[in-house]
Amino acid sequence: MHKEKGLYVFNEGYNNLRRDEFLGALGKLDEIYLRPLQMISEGYQYEEMAKSLNIPVGTLKSRIHHGRKKLRKILKGWLN
């Protein structure tokens, strides 16, 4: 996955969000979700990330999915 793709997912629908607000929302995520999201935004490939985190690729993809979902929920609560 490309770095631009990862950054796009983080910013999707939240163009008016200040950087400090976004970082605050990230800080509310558990480490098991936060680190994969950070790595994907840095341009890592799934296989590289899974190896670095010592988890199967399927588990990694699940954590990315759930991390994005949790982040959206946090951001939605802040913006409403």
Side-chain angles (χ1 to χ4, degrees):
M1 184 168 277
H2 298 288
K3 185 174 182 179
E4 294 80 19
K5 177 80 172 163
L7 291 175
Y8 172 78
V9 171
F10 284 119
N11 293 319
E12 184 177 305
Y14 302 105
N15 294 331
N16 295 323
L17 188 67
R18 290 191 335 249
R19 180 176 168 79
D20 61 325
E21 292 173 325
F22 179 71
L23 293 175
L26 279 177
K28 295 200 175 286
L29 291 176
D30 292 333
E31 181 68 23
I32 66 166
Y33 303 116
L34 177 60
R35 189 62 191 131
L37 291 177
Q38 289 172 327
M39 292 176 80
I40 205 164
S41 75
E42 293 167 2
Y44 285 87
Q45 300 293 316
Y46 286 134
E47 293 78 17
E48 294 175 292
M49 294 165 47
K51 186 175 179 181
S52 174
L53 297 170
N54 199 31
I55 58 175
V57 172
T59 301
L60 171 71
K61 289 180 178 182
S62 176
R63 289 181 183 178
I64 290 170
H65 169 77
H66 290 288
R68 286 175 174 159
K69 192 173 177 180
K70 289 175 182 294
L71 184 58
R72 283 187 197 107
K73 186 176 181 179
I74 294 166
L75 293 171
K76 188 175 183 179
W78 285 10
L79 298 175
N80 288 336

